[in-house]
Amino acid sequence: MSDTPDHLSSRARHQDLLRAYWHKNLLLMGGCLTAWALAGLGCGVLWADWLNRWNLPGTGYPLGFWFAHQGAIISFVLIIFIYALIMNRLDKRHHQQLARINGEGGAR
């Protein structure tokens, strides 16, 4: 392993790229966990009585009841789907950036 300035610069860019990738991943996970908490705990438990004033259209079930039994699960599946879509896009972009750095003779 050489310690030439080009190699160090490339390694620094590689580390910066990894930090930026991880930071974006943490932001996405935080947003997903917040949405999950709002749907599962907030709508299903904390605000269930308030939501029960309305019925789910076409079913007649109170909205708070529906969130506690099915809405939280459906929200969870949608959150996982959205997370997977965004992470696939983020991974693809990250791999392109890594390939660009490696193509310039950087760290492998």
Side-chain angles (χ1 to χ4, degrees):
M1 178 179 271
S2 69
D3 287 336
T4 62
D6 286 343
H7 182 74
L8 292 176
S9 173
S10 177
R11 182 188 293 172
R13 283 186 293 163
H14 189 262
Q15 290 298 320
D16 288 343
L17 190 62
L18 288 176
R19 265 190 232 108
Y21 172 78
W22 185 242
H23 180 73
K24 289 176 186 174
N25 190 7
L26 287 177
L27 284 176
L28 180 60
M29 284 192 293
C32 288
L33 287 173
T34 301
W36 180 47
L38 289 174
L41 182 65
C43 293
V45 177
L46 298 176
W47 307 307
D49 291 335
W50 182 74
L51 288 172
N52 281 338
R53 289 193 257 168
W54 298 282
N55 289 335
L56 192 65
T59 64
Y61 289 111
L63 193 56
F65 175 81
W66 182 82
F67 256 105
H69 290 88
Q70 293 183 355
I73 296 169
I74 292 171
S75 300
F76 183 67
V77 171
L78 287 175
I79 289 167
I80 291 172
F81 181 72
I82 291 168
Y83 176 78
L85 286 177
I86 294 174
M87 280 307 296
N88 280 341
R89 198 176 328 154
L90 187 63
D91 283 346
K92 189 175 183 178
R93 189 177 318 142
H94 177 71
H95 288 293
Q96 288 172 346
Q97 291 170 335
L98 280 177
R100 191 174 336 123
I101 288 175
N102 289 337
E104 294 171 358
R108 293 181 184 217

